[in-house]
Amino acid sequence: MAASTLSEVARLAGVSLATASRVLNGSSRKPAEDIAERVREAADKLGYVPNAQAQALAKSSSGLIGLIVHDIADPYFSAIARGVQEAARQQNRMVLLASTSGAASDEREAVAAFAARRADSIVIAGSRSVRAEDQQGNAELAAELDRYCRNGGHVGVVGHPIVGASASEGYHVVKVPNEELAAGLAAELAASHDGPFLIIAGPEGLYTSDDRVRGFQRGLADAGRTPAEVIRTGFNRAGGYDAGLALAERIKSSEERLCIFAVNDVMAIGVTAALRPEGVWIPRDATIAGFDDIETLRDFRPALSTVHLPLEDIGRLAAGDPDTPPVSGVVKLRRSTETPAESQI
Amino acid sequence: MAASTLSEVARLAGVSLATASRVLNGSSRKPAEDIAERVREAADKLGYVPNAQAQALAKSSSGLIGLIVHDIADPYFSAIARGVQEAARQQNRMVLLASTSGAASDEREAVAAFAARRADSIVIAGSRSVRAEDQQGNAELAAELDRYCRNGGHVGVVGHPIVGASASEGYHVVKVPNEELAAGLAAELAASHDGPFLIIAGPEGLYTSDDRVRGFQRGLADAGRTPAEVIRTGFNRAGGYDAGLALAERIKSSEERLCIFAVNDVMAIGVTAALRPEGVWIPRDATIAGFDDIETLRDFRPALSTVHLPLEDIGRLAAGDPDTPPVSGVVKLRRSTETPAESQI
DNA sequence: CTGTTAGCGCGTTCAA
DNA sequence: TTGAACGCGCTAACAG
């Protein structure tokens, strides 16, 4: 990694280090055009590439923005990543990526690594948990973030504050109105569905999941319906799949049509995938709705009812983009929750 | 970004800078245990986080690995990104991300930015093009990469060499046997399909697309079939969608069943999506196959025949992981190319 | 407007 | 074993 240095360029151009620096980087002082030209030629000839590390060291600002996701190949996270990436591009920064599978200890490590690289800001996506087994991990993560903020770092968190993090300067949360939107979804579903409701949720203690469950129940209550039964499973496709398997018999033997709310889209997809080979058809035998409106849904059949979230905007907001509008979701009713009469296959 | 420095730690511990450095980072020289403990305590107390920029500057090795993709939210790229990320984790490095929408000039810029950050290696995913309009961009990209390699950088390219890049030291290509696999796919399809074939390809000059077209045609020829007609369109979902629209009438009015090969999965999905509302059913009215086996296919119906590519492994290989097996694809025949007799809906 | 100088935080060679 | 000094490549104060 031994590229040519600024002093080599300066020497070749016959000028001082400072002048070369002023020419090649955006300085307020503008050297004379003829000398500038000479420097540029020299730089070009030597294939000079400024050492960003050294610049960062001298300026103490790295132009880096750290992004922490559970899994970059998950459509939910990759959509957010795209937003962060765009914001970074606008800010003339680069994105540092870390995937952690959601473990708080890994996230702490990632934050430390970002801090070590002096990232200007850090974006954390992925649901927060208050479960007992995560308590210590959360505390350590919070401490690490706190230190990072105290040292002047900016943190953007998607959804919920890190558990235990003090609301320091430079720490901001991109709020997602999960509860309200879930309530809205429940209201719209209750208007056209007469049977019972069932919620397939993530583990208790996951903020995002809990919020959506709470909101959905509230929406049902407001519509004068009895609360939905809640099944707890993994907050991913596999969890949905398991729940679907467990549910198949029950749906087939019952005469009431069930309306299922899976707290996110990939879980809804998992449920549907499990039900299909069992001969349970959506929306004929049961209806189902998800949450997030990930891009994958575009070509998923039956078209899945869900709540649209502007994931890219969320990423942009978390990355500190000022002219992105605040998060607002929209209920999207599609084929998967149509009533039988309209849904001839 | 003013965290505490090594010299502060050293002062607090009452030792010299060098000693503190030796304790906190893996040096060959090991200081005495009692003094080491004192240093560690001091570091902990001050919340010391080593400045990776400064370390990189001193050691000239950044621990960074740059990744260039067209779009991080595209399942093809995000799967590769996951592989790169895993390899990086194993190597104790971090991933720097750049999305370029495929423009060679943007890619050049990204390479320069990575070089500026002294990334240890760079991974470039996304198809290469030899089209005339990309010629200059390609040349500049090749020059930039060449310079990077000469300065000791490592480059991993997925699929095809950068056009015009000299095979310098440290430059390696993860070869994907597109042609052979496409030929294999054609052979398997020809065994069960009697009607004509049609290929929906990307723009001429895109290596990946061209290879797959060539291979498919060869496979057909080997099976004694006449060459397939080739339709050129965009190398993405929208391109497939357009082609599907253009094809719908023709399929409906023809009596022969058409077997369509879209040169990648997202195009195949686009085709299918366009045909569906036109009343063209797969595989009843036509059959279709894609390429890549992206994760999205798992829940796409009708189950799409395709060629499975180990995308994560490809990412790992490009990132220089030594114990990842070489790329080998597998033809996957699924519902979308079943013959009518077996495919009662 | 240009050149000189002092750091930015750390690794590493030298003496001690 | 420990510490002092230099250099990594660059920016930003100065001085000229």
Side-chain angles (χ1 to χ4, degrees):
Chain A
M1 287 282 69
S4 51
T5 75
L6 186 59
S7 60
E8 289 174 28
V9 173
R11 195 187 319 144
L12 188 89
V15 298
S16 83
L17 215 81
T19 307
S21 171
R22 290 195 261 260
V23 171
L24 296 175
N25 310 8
S27 172
S28 43
R29 297 255 157 276
K30 289 284 172 194
E33 187 47 46
D34 55 338
I35 202 79
E37 188 52 37
R38 246 194 9 240
V39 172
R40 253 175 254 127
E41 263 176 39
D44 211 61
K45 189 164 175 185
L46 283 132
Y48 170 72
V49 179
N51 188 326
Q53 316 262 14
Q55 291 184 187
L57 193 56
K59 290 194 298 198
S60 41
S61 150
S62 62
L64 252 29
I65 158 168
L67 170 61
I68 299 179
V69 297
H70 289 3
D71 174 10
I72 190 60
D74 180 313
Y76 172 82
F77 289 112
S78 63
I80 292 179
R82 186 200 264 156
V84 171
Q85 166 74 39
E86 282 168 5
R89 203 188 173 93
Q90 281 185 5
Q91 303 168 15
N92 236 317
R93 297 186 208 280
M94 298 215 72
V95 174
L96 262 177
L97 185 64
S99 298
T100 61
S101 357
S105 66
D106 285 355
E107 296 186 333
R108 192 201 62 73
E109 237 175 85
V111 170
F114 290 156
R117 299 221 137 74
R118 298 301 186 262
D120 298 331
S121 55
I122 294 180
V123 172
I124 306 185
S127 190
R128 303 289 107 211
S129 149
V130 290
R131 282 175 295 176
E133 65 258 43
D134 297 326
Q135 197 170 332
Q136 189 189 344
N138 277 329
E140 290 174 358
L141 173 58
E144 194 74 48
L145 277 172
D146 209 53
R147 173 193 309 175
Y148 174 74
C149 284
R150 269 201 311 274
N151 290 338
H154 299 239
V155 174
V157 186
V158 174
H160 275 94
I162 305 296
V163 180
S166 51
S168 18
E169 189 72 22
Y171 174 89
H172 83 281
V173 179
V174 178
K175 291 215 180 93
V176 178
N178 284 308
E179 193 171 334
E180 291 73 6
L181 289 168
L185 175 64
E188 295 206 29
L189 290 176
S192 66
H193 179 79
D194 297 323
F197 288 86
L198 183 142
I199 301 176
I200 299 182
E204 192 150 16
L206 261 196
Y207 271 141
T208 307
S209 174
D210 289 352
D211 284 358
R212 292 175 182 177
V213 170
R214 197 180 315 117
F216 197 83
Q217 298 284 36
R218 201 188 70 206
L220 288 182
D222 289 351
R225 311 294 287 265
T226 54
E229 177 188 347
V230 178
I231 295 182
R232 302 267 170 202
T233 179
F235 194 64
N236 50 31
R237 185 188 182 281
Y241 192 88
D242 293 343
L245 282 186
L247 233 52
E249 276 315 311
R250 180 161 148 195
I251 293 176
K252 283 191 282 191
S253 61
S254 163
E255 352 212 307
E256 295 187 302
R257 270 174 94 239
L258 200 57
C259 177
I260 302 169
F261 169 50
V263 294
N264 69 40
D265 286 338
V266 290
M267 289 175 74
I269 286 176
V271 172
T272 310
L275 291 178
R276 193 182 293 120
E278 298 287 331
V280 176
W281 282 33
I282 307 292
R284 189 193 62 188
D285 306 323
T287 60
I288 186 165
F291 207 109
D292 288 340
D293 202 19
I294 55 176
E295 213 168 294
T296 311
L297 290 196
R298 181 169 184 178
D299 292 296
F300 182 78
R301 291 302 116 117
L304 199 64
S305 293
T306 189
V307 175
H308 175 80
L309 248 35
L311 297 173
E312 281 188 43
D313 284 355
I314 289 176
R316 265 198 222 89
L317 283 167
D321 187 306
D323 26 63
T324 298
V327 179
S328 69
V330 184
V331 174
K332 298 275 184 191
L333 293 192
R334 303 196 180 117
R335 178 68 170 280
S336 71
T337 53
E338 283 179 9
T339 55
E342 328 161 34
S343 65
Q344 315 298 2
I345 304 235
Chain B
M1 287 285 69
S4 50
T5 75
L6 187 57
S7 61
E8 288 174 28
V9 174
R11 195 186 320 145
L12 188 88
V15 299
S16 85
L17 215 83
T19 307
S21 170
R22 291 194 259 260
V23 170
L24 296 176
N25 310 8
S27 174
S28 44
R29 299 252 159 278
K30 290 284 174 194
E33 188 46 47
D34 55 337
I35 203 79
E37 187 51 37
R38 241 184 25 229
V39 172
R40 253 174 255 129
E41 263 176 39
D44 210 61
K45 189 165 176 184
L46 288 163
Y48 169 72
V49 179
N51 187 326
Q53 317 261 13
Q55 290 185 185
L57 192 57
K59 290 192 299 197
S60 53
S61 151
S62 63
L64 252 29
I65 157 168
L67 170 62
I68 300 180
V69 297
H70 290 1
D71 175 10
I72 190 60
D74 180 314
Y76 171 82
F77 289 111
S78 62
I80 291 180
R82 187 199 265 157
V84 171
Q85 166 73 40
E86 282 167 7
R89 203 188 173 91
Q90 282 185 3
Q91 303 169 13
N92 235 317
R93 299 186 206 280
M94 298 214 73
V95 174
L96 263 176
L97 186 64
S99 298
T100 61
S101 351
S105 67
D106 285 355
E107 295 185 334
R108 192 201 63 74
E109 237 175 86
V111 170
F114 290 155
R117 297 224 139 74
R118 298 300 186 264
D120 298 331
S121 56
I122 295 180
V123 172
I124 306 185
S127 189
R128 304 288 106 212
S129 150
V130 290
R131 282 175 296 177
E133 66 257 42
D134 296 327
Q135 198 171 333
Q136 191 189 342
N138 277 331
E140 289 174 359
L141 173 58
E144 194 75 47
L145 277 172
D146 210 51
R147 174 194 309 176
Y148 173 74
C149 284
R150 268 201 311 274
N151 289 338
H154 298 239
V155 174
V157 186
V158 173
H160 275 94
I162 306 297
V163 181
S166 52
S168 17
E169 188 73 22
Y171 174 90
H172 82 281
V173 179
V174 178
K175 292 215 180 92
V176 179
N178 284 307
E179 193 172 333
E180 290 73 9
L181 290 169
L185 175 64
E188 295 207 28
L189 291 177
S192 66
H193 179 78
D194 298 321
F197 288 86
L198 183 141
I199 301 175
I200 299 183
E204 193 149 17
L206 260 197
Y207 271 140
T208 307
S209 173
D210 289 351
D211 282 358
R212 292 176 183 179
V213 170
R214 195 180 317 118
F216 197 83
Q217 298 284 34
R218 200 188 73 206
L220 288 182
D222 289 350
R225 310 296 287 265
T226 56
E229 178 188 349
V230 178
I231 295 183
R232 303 263 171 206
T233 178
F235 194 65
N236 49 32
R237 186 188 181 281
Y241 192 87
D242 293 343
L245 282 186
L247 233 52
E249 276 315 312
R250 180 160 147 197
I251 293 176
K252 283 191 282 190
S253 60
S254 163
E255 351 212 308
E256 295 185 301
R257 271 175 93 237
L258 199 58
C259 178
I260 302 170
F261 169 49
V263 295
N264 69 39
D265 287 337
V266 290
M267 291 175 74
I269 288 177
V271 172
T272 310
L275 291 178
R276 193 182 292 119
E278 297 287 332
V280 176
W281 282 32
I282 308 291
R284 188 193 62 190
D285 305 322
T287 60
I288 186 167
F291 206 110
D292 287 342
D293 202 20
I294 55 175
E295 213 167 294
T296 311
L297 290 197
R298 181 169 184 176
D299 293 296
F300 181 78
R301 292 301 116 120
L304 199 64
S305 293
T306 189
V307 175
H308 175 80
L309 248 37
L311 295 173
E312 282 188 43
D313 285 354
I314 289 176
R316 265 199 223 91
L317 283 167
D321 187 307
D323 26 62
T324 298
V327 179
S328 69
V330 185
V331 174
K332 297 276 185 190
L333 293 192
R334 303 193 180 121
R335 179 66 169 282
S336 71
T337 52
E338 283 180 7
T339 55
E342 329 163 33
S343 65
Q344 316 297 1
I345 303 236

